[in-house]
Amino acid sequence: MNHTLSIACLLLVPLVALHAADGSNKKPSLSAMPIAASVPLTEKKPVTDEHHGVKVVEDYRWLEESSSPAVKAWTDAQNQYSRAWLDARPDRADIEAELTALYAKDTPSHSGIVSRPGRLFALKFQPPKQQRLLVTLTSADDLASEKVVLDPNEIEPKGQVAMDWYVPSPDGKLIAVCLSEHGSEEGTLHFYRTDTGEHLPDRIIRVQYPTGGGSAAWTPDSSAVFYTRYPHAGEKPEADLNFYQQIYFHRLGSPVSNDEYSAGRDFPRIAEIELDTSEDGRWLLASVANGDGGEFAHHIRETKDGAEWRQITRHEDAIKEVTFSHDGSSLYLRSVKDAPCGKVLRLSVTGTLADAEMIVPESDAVIEGITPTAKHLFVSDLIGGPSRIRQLDSDGKNEREVPLPAASGVGVLIEVAGGILFRQTSYVAPSVWMFYDPVTANVRKTALFNTSPVDFSDIEAVRDFAMSKDGTKVPINILRRKGTSLDGSNPTLLYAYGGYGHSIRPVFNFEQRLWFDRGGIYVIANIRGGGEYGEEWHLAGNLTKKQNVFDDFAACAEHLIKQGYTRPDKLAVEGGSNGGLLMGAFLTQHPTHARAVVAHVGLYDMLRVELDPNGAFNVTEFGTVKDPAQFRALHAYSPYHNVTDGTQYPAVFFLAGETDGRVNPAHSRKMTARLQAATSSANPILVRLSSASGHGMGTALSEKIAQRADVLAFLFDQLGMSKVSSP
């Protein structure tokens, strides 16, 4: 049985919200505000903290009070200044028009596919609709069978209602859907009939909140759900209302007040729970993450009334994933215990971890996922970025490789009719859903594929390696026009993430055509902190080793310059969320390496991040100031604390969402103020704070286009890029 489908994306980019022009208490659009002629001044109010004998002084803590009139006035002034600067770029309107035209030509795409008997469920992105639709198909080869079950655009036409995740019932007749507004990810669970789209009366609030997310799982007869639940007002102190996620049980048609507690009172405060059931619905599995650092515990019970939970793994067991065998009699476990690249264990569903047998040993490739079918076990691997799929018998024997094009990316594998359905991606070609038949060993293209509104036949992807400060080889993927001269003159944009074990796979983005048409090179770096080379690659870039991430990224920039791809005044860098932290560290540690920096929804004050509303979730990845060694590491790289007065900083563009529940937008406010006061260069320091968007999930299409147009206008201006030709 498939996991609850998460619709959150990993490109964590917030977008400027659209505001209504009518009605009281509604703010005007940024473009309608008066133009600010100069950088707004920010008052300094020094505050001193002491950690382990070290006194730390800062001037802008008052910008953390988001509800205060002074902070709102500061935000308005900064937004006006940024809007005036961006709108003064002569090609800003043309860029937005180009992007809008490309999306108008884009073909519909399907993602997040879930299989149920006789039908597939999928999310359909269909420009110019603002949000994705939930649809069904009889198969991946029959587009004519497609039916719309839920269209959030009909609920709110401006795209301010989004699906956080959904899960169909075992028989496929009902769907549980988590909906949230304004990019907040504060979700309420709704229920719909698949065949008619009827919205059932049941509503369950507080099932989802960032960063912990949310999940649900159905009983075998499709009459009830187990679901995640955050405390309601009065059940916990206000500071704890978005923690202590637990599992509850709801029977459709009954009052929510009658819902029963199931588990979670002994889970960590920062628990992040994902629910799953066996194919026959008999067994329920709860995967419980200990915050965002990559530690998991797993608990199991029967779904029948009165069954008891049983814990099968603990955080220290290093089990990253557990999934049911096709018949529900066994569990497959992906373990990194003494195997950083991963191995696969198997045990009886009623057994203990001590009974587990290894059936797939560790290899040079990183095991990312395991997908059992009735006769086979499929293992998806990652080899430094590109993907591989292996087919084995259920006991791990008779391994064979599924044929894939070189440098492909592969997402989740989905069992359909004894075979597997998977989305194949590439840097230079649109994605396509493929079906693999283990009987014939044939991979074929299904009817679910994209065509591009632009031609990439002139673009090539080159794999290279940079040497980091400590001698570590770091992969970089370079997208460039064929025949590009390495004379140091090429405008280049370098992107990376580097955290939480998240791996960056090949992916196609037709928006990059605008970049290539202006002579640009686009580069993706697979730096440490990610999972491209397994758990060791992740752990070499977290906690007190986080500086390795920043050294890797700097080495990639230096490599591009040394090899003649670009030079510092033609180099820009971009990242979001944890990648926003990366941008902050890069610009403070290497202010002369690049001309422009774009940082989305980033963290910059690393001494106070754990005090943010969801900051505790990040302690297992970043560390805590309470620990002396971790404090020293945090203080040494914290971007906010390492801005130096009088430094000639590059041009910087910060973007953040005021409804962001994952990263406190105060980080962007404080970092903007600090840089504006410190820089001795004439390069702009801009911030764009949206009052109707969050971390980037569920953002309306029109806002995505507007946000990207602003970023490209900023970069084209700073790198001196103009359109040269089209292929």
Side-chain angles (χ1 to χ4, degrees):
M1 191 68 68
N2 290 291
H3 288 283
T4 300
L5 180 71
S6 173
I7 304 172
C9 64
L10 284 163
L11 180 59
L12 305 177
V13 179
L15 303 154
V16 172
L18 300 177
H19 297 288
D22 59 340
S24 60
N25 300 320
K26 293 186 178 180
K27 295 181 180 179
S29 67
L30 297 181
S31 60
M33 293 178 178
I35 293 176
S38 59
V39 179
L41 297 177
T42 305
E43 183 181 3
K44 295 182 178 181
K45 300 179 180 180
V47 177
T48 302
D49 291 325
E50 185 170 334
H51 303 279
H52 309 289
V54 178
K55 290 186 177 181
V56 180
V57 181
E58 63 156 310
D59 293 323
Y60 303 111
R61 185 171 299 176
W62 66 271
L63 287 172
E64 294 179 3
E65 300 297 328
S66 59
S67 61
S68 78
V71 172
K72 291 180 179 179
W74 183 93
T75 298
D76 288 344
Q78 292 286 344
N79 277 337
Q80 290 174 35
Y81 170 69
S82 297
R83 184 76 270 144
W85 191 96
L86 291 163
D87 287 345
R89 301 314 99 189
D91 54 354
R92 165 61 180 78
D94 291 340
I95 295 167
E96 184 165 3
E98 280 189 79
L99 289 170
T100 302
L102 289 182
Y103 274 100
K105 297 176 185 176
D106 190 23
T107 51
S109 60
H110 296 77
S111 62
I113 293 179
V114 175
S115 177
R116 289 292 185 265
R119 67 179 115 199
L120 297 176
F121 292 80
L123 297 168
K124 182 182 182 182
F125 178 54
Q126 184 179 337
K129 286 184 177 290
Q130 299 295 309
Q131 295 286 351
R132 291 175 290 185
L133 318 176
L134 181 55
V135 302
T136 61
L137 305 100
T138 56
S139 81
D141 297 307
D142 187 4
L143 281 176
S145 68
E146 184 179 278
K147 294 181 179 178
V148 176
V149 179
L150 175 62
D151 182 356
N153 303 284
E154 294 182 355
I155 301 173
E156 206 293 312
K158 292 184 178 180
Q160 294 302 312
V161 172
M163 292 181 281
D164 297 304
W165 46 266
Y166 78 91
V167 56
S169 62
D171 59 13
K173 294 180 179 179
L174 298 171
I175 313 174
V177 182
C178 182
L179 299 176
S180 62
E181 299 181 12
H182 305 296
S184 66
E185 299 180 77
E186 296 185 46
T188 295
L189 197 60
H190 299 251
F191 299 86
Y192 295 85
R193 294 195 188 279
T194 303
D195 291 336
T196 64
E198 178 189 353
H199 191 183
L200 301 182
D202 302 69
R203 306 279 192 284
I204 308 177
I205 64 171
R206 295 191 56 74
V207 300
Q208 152 94 13
Y209 190 82
T211 301
S215 186
W218 291 85
T219 54
D221 62 0
S222 304
S223 68
V225 292
F226 293 89
Y227 66 91
T228 52
R229 177 185 184 275
Y230 285 89
H232 291 193
E235 294 178 350
K236 292 279 187 183
E238 186 174 351
D240 289 333
L241 291 181
N242 296 321
F243 297 89
Y244 294 106
Q245 190 184 57
Q246 298 178 3
I247 304 170
Y248 273 69
F249 177 79
H250 173 76
R251 194 169 299 281
L252 288 184
S254 66
V256 175
S257 58
N258 291 347
D259 288 0
E260 303 168 9
Y261 163 82
S262 180
R265 288 173 182 154
D266 56 344
F267 291 173
R269 180 175 185 262
I270 53 175
E272 304 174 18
I273 305 169
E274 184 174 5
L275 302 173
D276 190 22
T277 53
S278 58
E279 191 74 21
D280 60 8
R282 178 184 173 186
W283 295 96
L284 174 66
L285 175 74
S287 300
V288 184
N290 183 33
D292 291 337
E295 298 176 337
F296 297 88
H298 298 86
H299 305 253
I300 194 170
R301 59 161 284 180
E302 290 186 89
T303 53
K304 67 181 181 181
D305 291 347
E308 297 290 327
W309 285 95
R310 179 170 59 90
Q311 186 166 358
I312 53 174
T313 77
R314 302 181 184 278
H315 297 142
E316 57 268 26
D317 295 324
I319 303 297
K320 296 288 190 178
E321 176 187 1
V322 175
T323 189
F324 292 100
S325 64
H326 188 270
D327 63 5
S329 65
S330 301
L331 295 169
Y332 290 101
L333 293 75
R334 177 167 62 90
S335 170
V336 295
K337 188 80 167 181
D338 302 319
C341 287
K343 59 188 176 183
V344 179
L345 313 177
R346 186 177 64 176
L347 76 156
S348 167
V349 73
T350 58
T352 66
L353 187 58
D355 304 321
E357 59 173 332
M358 183 178 68
I359 62 169
V360 181
E362 184 183 28
S363 71
D364 292 337
V366 178
I367 297 177
E368 277 210 301
I370 42 182
T371 305
T373 66
K375 296 182 179 180
H376 298 97
L377 176 68
F378 290 92
V379 176
S380 53
D381 295 328
L382 195 66
I383 309 173
S387 299
R388 179 181 73 178
I389 302 175
R390 288 182 283 165
Q391 172 192 323
L392 307 95
D393 294 341
S394 297
D395 59 1
K397 304 278 195 296
N398 298 319
E399 178 181 317
R400 67 191 300 178
E401 189 170 334
V402 175
L404 294 175
S408 291
V410 171
V412 176
L413 310 184
I414 303 154
E415 184 203 0
V416 178
I420 55 169
L421 192 65
F422 61 92
R423 193 177 195 180
Q424 179 182 303
T425 62
S426 160
Y427 285 122
V428 295
S431 63
V432 54
W433 283 94
M434 308 292 288
F435 180 78
Y436 173 71
D437 183 347
V439 176
T440 63
N442 179 52
V443 176
R444 62 172 177 81
K445 184 178 181 180
T446 72
L448 303 182
F449 61 87
N450 284 92
T451 59
S452 173
V454 293
D455 182 16
F456 265 42
S457 62
D458 63 327
I459 305 301
E460 62 182 355
V462 178
R463 182 86 161 171
D464 201 353
F465 292 86
M467 190 70 71
S468 193
K469 186 176 181 179
D470 64 357
T472 300
K473 290 176 65 177
V474 181
I476 51 176
N477 308 279
I478 304 166
L479 278 63
R480 65 187 189 188
R481 277 187 163 189
K482 297 172 182 176
T484 295
S485 297
L486 303 186
D487 58 5
S489 66
N490 304 294
T492 300
L493 180 58
L494 173 61
Y495 172 88
Y497 185 76
Y500 299 97
H502 166 57
S503 302
I504 302 178
R505 303 177 186 82
V507 64
F508 179 77
N509 182 0
F510 64 73
E511 290 180 359
Q512 291 169 353
R513 186 72 256 176
L514 278 71
W515 188 257
F516 299 136
D517 285 350
R518 288 160 177 81
I521 294 174
Y522 189 83
V523 183
I524 304 99
N526 300 121
I527 60 179
R528 280 177 285 186
E532 289 87 351
Y533 289 113
E535 186 66 0
E536 284 185 346
W537 197 249
H538 168 218
L539 296 180
N542 79 341
L543 297 174
T544 58
K545 297 179 180 178
K546 190 70 176 177
Q547 183 60 41
N548 287 334
V549 176
F550 314 136
D551 290 343
D552 287 0
F553 191 73
C556 292
E558 292 160 1
H559 180 84
L560 294 170
I561 295 168
K562 190 179 300 182
Q563 296 300 312
Y565 282 100
T566 192
R567 60 179 188 259
D569 66 311
K570 286 289 185 179
L571 176 64
V573 296
E574 183 175 17
S577 193
N578 174 77
L581 164 62
L582 172 63
M583 297 301 102
F586 177 78
L587 75 90
T588 52
Q589 294 180 16
H590 305 281
T592 62
H593 274 33
R595 172 56 190 250
V597 177
V598 177
H600 304 267
V601 293
L603 307 109
Y604 309 111
D605 182 347
M606 299 309 293
L607 302 189
R608 288 177 61 77
V609 66
E610 63 192 273
L611 303 178
D612 288 342
N614 76 324
F617 290 96
N618 298 304
V619 167
T620 49
E621 178 73 9
F622 297 134
T624 173
V625 296
K626 298 174 184 177
D627 179 279
Q630 291 176 357
F631 162 73
R632 287 193 295 271
L634 290 163
H635 192 213
Y637 73 74
S638 176
Y640 179 63
H641 298 93
N642 284 280
V643 176
T644 303
D645 290 333
T647 301
Q648 293 190 355
Y649 285 107
V652 184
F653 188 11
F654 295 109
L655 300 97
E658 297 282 16
T659 64
D660 192 342
R662 294 176 182 262
V663 172
N664 189 339
H667 286 270
S668 294
R669 294 195 290 264
K670 292 170 63 175
M671 190 66 176
T672 298
R674 183 70 186 96
L675 275 176
Q676 287 177 343
T679 188
S680 62
S681 76
N683 298 321
I685 308 295
L686 307 176
V687 67
R688 188 169 184 178
L689 294 151
S690 168
S691 62
S693 66
H695 205 61
M697 292 75 169
T699 304
L701 174 59
S702 59
E703 296 187 11
K704 292 180 181 179
I705 292 172
Q707 185 267 354
R708 197 64 199 163
D710 278 347
V711 168
L712 290 177
F714 171 79
L715 292 174
F716 292 164
D717 176 87
Q718 291 301 303
L719 300 188
M721 299 171 69
S722 58
K723 199 164 186 178
V724 290
S725 65
S726 296

